[in-house]
Amino acid sequence: MSHDYAAQRRETFQTFRMSKGVSLPKTAVVEFAFFVEELDASWPAFERALRLAGFTTRRLKDGETLIASYGPMPVTPEAIWEREHAATEIALKHDFYPDGWELAE
């Protein structure tokens, strides 16, 4: 089954529509979460590909989640979607699946 990028993009843009009235920074580091789909997925290969695309990575202690950080970058739906799309393409090639994003604290 192919990934539904259109639905993923709608969710990102919807997040911004729902945040009307909330003061967002002009720039921030954005953290994109990915969870492993296959037990034999190569974490090192996924991390290496993300780093080559300009992301920093860290694994969560749950053993299932990788965080790919990017920025500081503009906090706009277009800018975040651009990086989210790029990271998702990499993730899917390495048997990981997107699980949202948030602004780093």
Side-chain angles (χ1 to χ4, degrees):
M1 177 163 66
S2 65
H3 182 70
D4 190 346
Y5 285 101
Q8 185 181 2
R9 181 181 185 278
R10 281 191 302 274
E11 287 178 23
T12 292
F13 278 71
Q14 179 67 18
T15 299
F16 278 85
R17 283 191 292 279
M18 292 172 49
S19 70
K20 293 287 188 205
V22 175
S23 179
L24 296 173
K26 290 189 186 297
T27 63
V29 172
V30 179
E31 296 180 332
F32 302 94
F34 297 92
F35 64 88
V36 66
E37 277 192 335
E38 301 293 330
L39 294 176
D40 62 348
S42 175
W43 290 75
F46 180 37
E47 290 176 291
R48 187 171 35 259
L50 286 167
R51 285 193 301 272
L52 286 171
F55 294 88
T56 58
T57 64
R58 67 183 165 86
R59 298 180 195 186
L60 298 188
K61 292 180 182 179
D62 67 5
E64 297 178 2
T65 309
L66 183 133
I67 303 297
S69 302
Y70 195 90
M73 60 179 288
V75 178
T76 66
E78 296 84 5
I80 290 175
W81 170 244
E82 179 183 324
R83 297 287 60 192
E84 182 180 12
H85 186 268
T88 298
E89 285 184 325
I90 294 168
L92 295 174
K93 291 177 186 173
H94 290 89
D95 294 320
F96 285 77
Y97 194 79
D99 194 31
W101 58 268
E102 62 183 34
L103 303 182
E105 295 184 12

